């Protein structure tokens, strides 16, 4: 029997998202009981998508500033990544359609959910829903770039698929969700 009994939840920060300290009693399969404390950062769940064009063999990615990467040695703070965002009160498919149009300017008719994953389960509660979708030039309805009131400053990139894969090897792409979706596209021969 593996059993968890939450003893105490403390809010350490409720600024942008919620950071809690959880104290719990864990009864292990061998019967041993331990009391432990862990911190968990709750930022909600999210969705991400790789847009690809089979004919042109290109993908749509974005470039934007990410403060945590800057603090951890990313000299410019900018990351090349797949479009994505937090679910808020939407379901994952509604979220990714909205985020795609806001960030990239493409209005999608169809998306395909390919998997879901915990991205940093040792400290963050978020589960991320992964999607892929084909795009064409005709689907472009705006320049994208994000939402002004959210102070998003997103550059939209259309890259050759092989170049994007090479950017993983050179370190130009270091974002986990983007690497996962590019590799998914390669394994499943989407392009």
């Amino acid at each position: 029997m593996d059993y968890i009994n939450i003893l105490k939840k403390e809010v350490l920060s409720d600024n942008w998202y919620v950071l809690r300290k959880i104290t719990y009693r864990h009864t292990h399969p061998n019967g041993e009981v331990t009391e432990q404390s862990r911190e968990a950062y709750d930022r909600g769940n999210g969705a991400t998508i790789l847009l690809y064009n089979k004919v042109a063999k290109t993908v749509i990615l974005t470039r934007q500033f990410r403060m945590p990467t800057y603090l951890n040695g990313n000299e410019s703070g900018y990351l090349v990544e797949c479009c994505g965002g937090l679910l808020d009160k939407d379901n994952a498919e509604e979220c990714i359609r909205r985020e795609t149009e806001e960030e990239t300017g493409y209005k999608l008719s169809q998306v395909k959910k390919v998997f879901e994953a915990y991205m940093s389960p040792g400290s963050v509660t978020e589960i991320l829903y992964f999607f892929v979708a084909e795009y064409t030039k005709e689907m472009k309805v705006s320049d994208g770039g994000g939402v002004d009131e959210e102070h998003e400053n997103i550059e939209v990139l259309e890259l050759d698929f092989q170049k994007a894969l090479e950017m993983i090897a050179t370190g130009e792409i270091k974002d986990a969700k983007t690497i996962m979706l590019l590799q998914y596209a390669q394994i499943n021969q989407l392009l």
Side-chain angles (χ1 to χ4, degrees):
M1 166 176 87
D2 201 11
Y3 178 73
I4 303 294
N5 181 21
I6 306 274
L7 303 173
K8 185 176 175 184
K9 292 182 184 180
E10 302 170 70
V11 174
L12 301 179
S13 175
D14 189 6
N15 187 14
W16 190 254
Y17 303 114
V18 180
L19 177 62
R20 288 185 179 90
K21 180 179 179 182
I22 311 297
T23 304
Y24 61 98
R25 188 168 291 124
H26 186 179
T27 304
H28 300 272
N30 67 2
E32 178 187 3
V33 177
T34 59
E35 190 171 302
Q36 301 175 6
S37 291
R38 296 289 185 269
E39 292 179 4
Y41 194 52
D42 185 351
R43 60 182 305 262
N45 295 325
T48 186
I49 191 166
L50 178 66
L51 303 178
Y52 66 96
N53 184 302
K54 257 186 161 154
V55 176
K57 299 198 181 314
T58 54
V59 293
I60 299 292
L61 299 177
T62 62
R63 179 182 289 127
Q64 62 182 309
F65 181 77
R66 299 297 198 181
M67 177 57 79
T69 74
Y70 180 79
L71 295 174
N72 196 23
N74 178 0
E75 203 170 286
S76 72
Y78 281 85
L79 280 187
V80 174
E81 53 188 287
C82 287
C83 168
L86 294 178
L87 300 188
D88 299 322
K89 295 195 180 348
D90 292 336
N91 69 41
E93 188 172 317
E94 289 169 353
C95 168
I96 205 57
R97 287 177 188 278
R98 181 190 71 245
E99 290 292 335
T100 299
E101 190 169 337
E102 289 174 0
E103 291 187 8
T104 70
Y106 286 89
K107 187 173 183 85
L108 299 174
S109 54
Q110 295 189 4
V111 298
K112 177 184 175 188
K113 182 182 167 203
V114 292
F115 57 89
E116 52 192 66
Y118 290 101
M119 296 303 291
S120 189
S123 60
V124 181
T125 61
E126 177 187 42
I127 193 164
L128 199 57
Y129 300 92
F130 288 76
F131 293 86
V132 295
E134 287 192 62
Y135 78 93
T136 64
K137 297 288 184 200
E138 294 74 35
M139 294 176 177
K140 190 149 181 80
V141 296
S142 75
D143 291 335
V147 178
D148 289 338
E149 57 266 13
E150 293 179 17
H151 305 288
E152 293 179 313
N153 184 12
I154 298 169
E155 181 184 354
V156 181
L157 307 172
E158 184 173 38
L159 299 172
D160 175 81
F161 179 59
Q162 287 304 317
K163 170 65 176 164
L165 290 173
E166 290 168 14
M167 290 171 72
I168 297 170
T170 64
E172 294 169 87
I173 293 178
K174 290 185 178 183
D175 175 63
K177 68 184 180 298
T178 304
I179 293 168
M180 292 165 74
L181 279 172
L182 288 169
Q183 290 178 339
Y184 173 88
Q186 184 180 34
I187 291 166
N188 291 280
Q189 301 176 344
L190 297 182
L191 296 129

